[in-house]
Amino acid sequence: MRTITVLGATGSIGQNTINVICRHPDKFRVFAITGHTNLKALVQLAVQCSPRYIVLSDSDAYSSFSNLLKLENCNSEVLVGAQALDNVCSAPEVDTVMSAIVGAAGLLPTLAAVRAGKRVLLANKESLVMTGELFMDAVREHKAELLPIDSEHNAIFQCLPHDFQYGNLEKSGIAKILLTGSGGPFRTLADESFDAITPDQACAHPTWTMGRKISVDSASMMNKGLEFIEAKWLFGLHENDIEVVLHPQSTIHSMVQYVDGSVIAQLGNPDMRTPIAYGLSFPDRITSGVKAVDFSSLTDFSFSKPDKSRYPNLYLAIEACKQGQSATTAINAANEIAVEAFLNGQIKFTDIARVNEQVLQKIDSIELTSIVHVIEHDAEARILAQEIVRKLN
Ligand code: NAD
Ligand code: MG
């Protein structure tokens, strides 16, 4: 029986996680769930999975939330704030933490789980992009078990040999990691239409259903850029080891190319319950509710290179990855500010890349030697990004 905390339970990944967990009451129990604003969804989830604790971000919501919970006869204890988030990740009863808060807000609780040596199911790619080597050092030092939930990294993890040694591609006969991406909703949109893209259009992903921030990142392919950086740290890769391949059908979730010409790919319908189930039950396989691929319906199966002028954010992120930690922390922070401004109607879709590029140009490149340092650098990049947003507005 595994005992699990689900960070960001009300989100797309969080709800899919509870969905898989509830299919296997003999294998999993929920210790805690956490939520930020969607309190109604949090109550429904609590009724569904009876967690011991529920963590809210905002103390103002405590009494109204507790009343909602009483109406449903739910006995979970309600906790509030950042320390409570850390506590439900590091509690001795917990063995697995699903990290599914969106953005930099997920960093500290995820690190709390890592430092407590838990199995950490990493959906929150931003925390690894922000901290890179410091995060991976903490994983090694505290003997945490880090399993990727991002579908591409979960696919790569499944395609690597079982004795793969971190960073040692040569020993395993690996030539390249092929990171696939659908290209999002604007893969074939005419260039002159990009300035008029609305938030709802950007969030209408053709193959995946996800939260709004990652949907915009997928449309701009910043998501693939963040995943490029994520892959580097998760598997100990060099930038030249990773190639991004467009695959609009999202059936192949990524591939490993070996030196003998073999390519091993992981396939499946685009449904996050597959990687979530694999992370929850690793190394075993459990049912997830995802339908098997119907090969007779796969009439089109195509691949191409992502175009630099269509997806400037992808190439900015790869450039930041080559520059190092200071640049990747900065571009992640800038992008969070830019995407929020786009979703609030303050800037155009095409301005997201302008904000990211200008922050990369303006921020001082410094060595980040501690998490405190990372958080300060992240804050500095956010201030710069906000200034640029104001000028664009
Ligand atoms: P979402 O927007 O649907 O959910 C985000 C969750 O984070 C919600 O539970 C929300 O309450 C919580 N949250 C937001 N701000 C918070 C704050 N300041 N403090 C505490 N909690 C906060 O997002 P999602 O699509 O589920 O994505 C979650 C993470 O997983 C992201 O990092 C994303 O990049 C990653 N991811 C998502 C998918 C997907 O298919 N949705 C796939 C791969 C990776
Ligand atoms: Mg992904």
Side-chain angles (χ1 to χ4, degrees), residues 8-14 34-37 57 85 99-103 105 123-126 149-151 208-212 214 223 272:
T10 53
S12 168
I13 293 286
T34 84
H36 191 51
T37 48
S57 309
L85 273 185
S99 166
I101 290 176
V102 60
N124 174 262
K125 66 195 87 185
E126 294 92 342
I149 295 303
D150 215 342
S151 57
W208 293 96
T209 310
M210 308 178 286
R212 283 172 82 77
I214 186 177
N223 184 49
M272 288 307 292

Side-chain angles (χ1 to χ4, degrees), residues 158-327:
Q158 294 192 45
C159 298
L160 288 171
H162 289 302
D163 62 352
F164 175 71
Q165 283 172 5
Y166 185 81
N168 198 341
L169 272 62
E170 208 176 312
K171 181 183 166 286
S172 298
I174 295 168
K176 236 177 197 167
I177 301 296
L178 303 173
L179 191 65
T180 56
S182 71
F186 309 130
R187 190 175 48 86
T188 55
L189 188 74
D191 290 353
E192 59 273 19
S193 304
F194 268 71
D195 273 346
I197 289 170
T198 66
D200 283 346
Q201 286 171 330
C203 289
H205 197 277
T207 48
W208 293 96
T209 310
M210 308 178 286
R212 283 172 82 77
K213 192 257 176 185
I214 186 177
S215 295
V216 176
D217 285 349
S218 298
S220 74
M221 277 196 91
M222 173 51 95
N223 184 49
K224 211 50 57 188
L226 298 177
E227 290 180 356
F228 187 100
I229 302 164
E230 183 186 13
K232 168 183 165 143
W233 291 114
L234 276 173
F235 305 112
L237 309 176
H238 184 270
E239 288 80 13
N240 296 339
D241 301 331
I242 314 167
E243 185 178 329
V244 177
V245 179
L246 280 193
H247 168 53
Q249 296 78 24
S250 303
T251 303
I252 290 180
H253 299 308
S254 277
M255 307 178 256
V256 176
Q257 186 177 322
Y258 287 84
V259 289
D260 60 2
S262 294
V263 177
I264 301 188
Q266 188 261 350
L267 285 76
N269 284 321
D271 187 322
M272 288 307 292
R273 289 176 299 175
T274 297
I276 290 168
Y278 193 54
L280 284 168
S281 63
F282 178 78
D284 298 332
R285 299 271 179 178
I286 54 170
T287 57
S288 63
V290 179
K291 282 192 192 142
V293 176
D294 172 10
F295 282 90
S296 64
S297 71
L298 292 179
T299 47
D300 194 10
F301 214 51
S302 52
F303 305 91
S304 59
K305 266 191 169 181
D307 176 16
K308 208 166 186 169
S309 61
R310 185 167 290 267
Y311 300 115
N313 283 291
L314 168 64
Y315 291 91
L316 282 171
I318 293 175
E319 186 46 42
C321 190
K322 290 177 183 163
Q323 284 176 27
Q325 191 59 61
S326 171

Side-chain angles (χ1 to χ4, degrees), residues 128-133 228-229 232-233 239 316-332 360 363-368 374 377:
L128 186 52
V129 169
M130 279 175 83
T131 58
E133 196 164 6
F228 187 100
I229 302 164
K232 168 183 165 143
W233 291 114
E239 288 80 13
L316 282 171
I318 293 175
E319 186 46 42
C321 190
K322 290 177 183 163
Q323 284 176 27
Q325 191 59 61
S326 171
T328 52
T329 303
I331 200 170
N332 178 66
L360 272 185
I363 195 129
D364 291 330
S365 175
I366 52 164
E367 207 184 333
L368 301 176
V374 166
H377 195 62

Side-chain angles (χ1 to χ4, degrees), residues 96-109:
T96 302
V97 174
M98 167 57 79
S99 166
I101 290 176
V102 60
L107 174 64
L108 293 178

